[in-house]
Amino acid sequence: MAIKNNSEFDAQQLSSKAEHINSHRRRAEFPQPEKTGFHSEQETAAGDSGDGSSPSTVDTVPQVQQDTPSLKQEPTRGYLSTRYALVTKPGLTLKQRIRFVPGLGYFMAWCNALLRLPRISFLQQQVHELTARLDQLQQTHHTLLHSHEKLKERVTELDEQKVVTRLQRYDALDIGTRLMKLDRMQIARQLKTVNQLMRENQNEDIRKQAREQALLARIDAFERLLREHGAPPLDAFAGHLPVAPAAADTGFDQDKFYVEFEALFRGTREDIKERLKAYLPYLEHITALPALQRLKVIDVGCGRGEWLELMDEQDIPAIGVDMNATMVDACLEQGFAARCDDAIAYLREQEAGSVAAVTGFHIIEHLPFETLIALFDAALHALCPGGVIIFETPNPENLMVGACNFYYDPTHLHPIVPQVAEFMARQRGFSHAEILRLHPYPDNHLLHGGTEVEAAVNKVLFGPQDYAVIGRK
């Protein structure tokens, strides 16, 4: 352990202390006269230690003969002879021999001590500096430990704040989702009200037409009465109204018929949703690009709303357009945006470049050629750059579909060959068009002989039942 000492030494005090120690050591070194010998051979010399003090022990000294005169009788002779014996002792170094010379040895020891004083003072100064440096390092260490503890507390506090912020964000997101659903429900109810008003107006128009037809019938009866009495016909008078043919009331509800037909032949709602998932990769650009996330998808002939439900699950805004009021009501009751309207007219009403995608599943086979071309043109007008069309239809390459299954639906006009549909898309201005064949027959319908004939039969009879033309603006 380092002890702080005073670097300023008193030479006189140090000299007196050294003299006292040396005299004490001389008295202890030489025995009384009654003793017959000197130090034993086990005592060793320490005079070469260089610390400025007289040696307390000496190297092995030969024992004195019994006839050696005692030191008390001849003190000077005994002291000098002993010193002479030590100086001439074999095996000692020159420094050790000088130390045993009377007078000179003490002088040399004092000189050595005085010469070492600056070195000792320098070493003490170094010790002080190292001690101060050690204290400074310990203080810095404590400061760093304190800073580390504060930093850990700050990190813990920030982590807690992040957790709270994240929970608040999730709560806000959940609230936003619920508000969005409520907004969709409100919009759906408003659209349902609008559709009801439109149907009421249509019914009012029908009633007006019926009244007009009744009035025309009465006018015809009045003309016949005039002709019977020889009066001129009413054509001679201005304001004659042409007679419109009376609408035949067969009592057939086509909307209800098609709803029941799809429930039997189209498949369950879950099956249709699972099939439509094949088209989701073609709409990834809508969710990836912020500029397109605000644009909507228009589903032509939305039917029961399977595609609208799938769009809602993907957080893609979508609206369905269908001429079947019963189908539209079914979509509105589920909270999906839909309207009863002509799809081509609705697309033409949209602002150019305001729609992300136009879809239609099993709709184009119902349209005449001129109407189908108008659908492609209206979709191209409404789509934004990079927008896509997806039109699915039965695949006539499958002979079972082209010869039989296509005609299950009595409202189908004629099958459309895939290459022709692709050509239509390109010819009407879509820069990219492709055909995606889907829904082959299950394996239990296939022939498993492995021959080329069986492979050809499997291809033409049990291949993909549907295909989709996919075009990009």
Side-chain angles (χ1 to χ4, degrees), residues 328-383:
V328 172
D329 289 341
C331 294
L332 295 175
E333 290 175 0
Q334 299 178 69
F336 305 132
R339 60 181 296 163
C340 185
D341 200 349
D342 178 79
I344 297 176
Y346 181 73
L347 289 172
R348 288 173 176 171
E349 293 172 359
Q350 305 304 309
E351 183 180 354
S354 62
V355 178
V358 177
T359 59
F361 303 99
H362 290 263
I363 184 67
I364 62 175
E365 65 272 12
H366 295 262
L367 305 178
F369 174 71
E370 294 80 6
T371 307
L372 180 56
I373 295 298
L375 176 62
F376 276 101
D377 293 342
L380 186 66
H381 158 77
L383 284 175

Side-chain angles (χ1 to χ4, degrees), residues 131-345:
T131 304
R133 180 62 177 169
L134 179 60
D135 294 339
Q136 183 180 3
L137 290 176
Q138 289 179 348
Q139 184 177 3
T140 305
H141 177 68
H142 291 312
T143 304
L144 291 176
L145 287 178
H146 184 64
S147 301
H148 179 67
E149 294 296 333
K150 286 187 175 180
L151 183 60
K152 288 177 62 178
E153 294 177 359
R154 180 58 178 169
V155 170
T156 304
E157 182 180 355
L158 290 176
D159 291 339
E160 293 177 354
Q161 292 179 356
K162 287 181 180 179
V163 172
V164 173
T165 304
R166 190 172 299 175
L167 291 176
Q168 292 176 352
R169 188 180 302 170
Y170 288 157
D171 292 341
L173 180 61
D174 187 48
I175 293 174
T177 303
R178 291 197 295 268
L179 291 176
M180 186 180 297
K181 290 184 178 180
L182 291 176
D183 291 341
R184 287 202 298 265
M185 292 292 294
Q186 183 67 20
I187 293 173
R189 285 194 291 268
Q190 293 177 357
L191 289 175
K192 185 175 181 179
T193 303
V194 171
N195 291 330
Q196 290 176 352
L197 292 176
M198 292 177 62
R199 287 198 295 273
E200 291 177 358
N201 292 334
Q202 292 175 356
N203 294 333
E204 183 65 24
D205 293 340
I206 293 174
R207 287 193 292 269
K208 288 181 180 179
Q209 292 177 2
R211 288 195 296 269
E212 291 176 357
Q213 292 169 1
L215 181 59
L216 291 175
R218 294 179 62 182
I219 292 175
D220 291 338
F222 185 66
E223 282 186 337
R224 288 194 300 270
L225 182 61
L226 290 177
R227 285 194 298 269
E228 291 176 358
H229 291 80
L234 292 179
D235 294 340
F237 301 93
H240 175 69
L241 297 177
V243 180
D249 186 9
T250 61
F252 173 67
D253 189 348
Q254 183 174 351
D255 292 350
K256 182 178 179 182
F257 170 85
Y258 208 75
V259 171
E260 297 178 359
F261 174 83
E262 280 209 348
L264 180 62
F265 293 99
R266 175 74 167 153
T268 63
R269 187 179 189 86
E270 291 73 18
D271 292 339
I272 301 304
K273 279 185 60 179
E274 189 65 28
R275 294 178 186 177
L276 295 178
K277 288 180 180 180
Y279 301 108
L280 291 180
Y282 294 93
L283 300 182
E284 290 180 349
H285 65 288
I286 298 178
T287 56
L289 298 177
L292 298 182
Q293 292 177 0
R294 301 187 302 270
L295 305 183
K296 61 186 175 182
V297 174
I298 297 179
D299 187 25
V300 177
C302 60
R304 297 175 296 186
E306 295 92 349
W307 180 249
L308 298 178
E309 183 177 356
L310 201 58
M311 292 293 96
D312 182 69
E313 294 175 357
Q314 301 297 320
D315 293 330
I316 299 176
I319 183 172
V321 183
D322 203 306
M323 294 292 291
N324 190 319
T326 305
M327 294 287 193
V328 172
D329 289 341
C331 294
L332 295 175
E333 290 175 0
Q334 299 178 69
F336 305 132
R339 60 181 296 163
C340 185
D341 200 349
D342 178 79
I344 297 176

Side-chain angles (χ1 to χ4, degrees), residues 43-58:
E43 295 176 342
T44 57
D48 57 346
S49 59
D51 56 357
S53 61
S54 299
S56 60
T57 57
V58 297

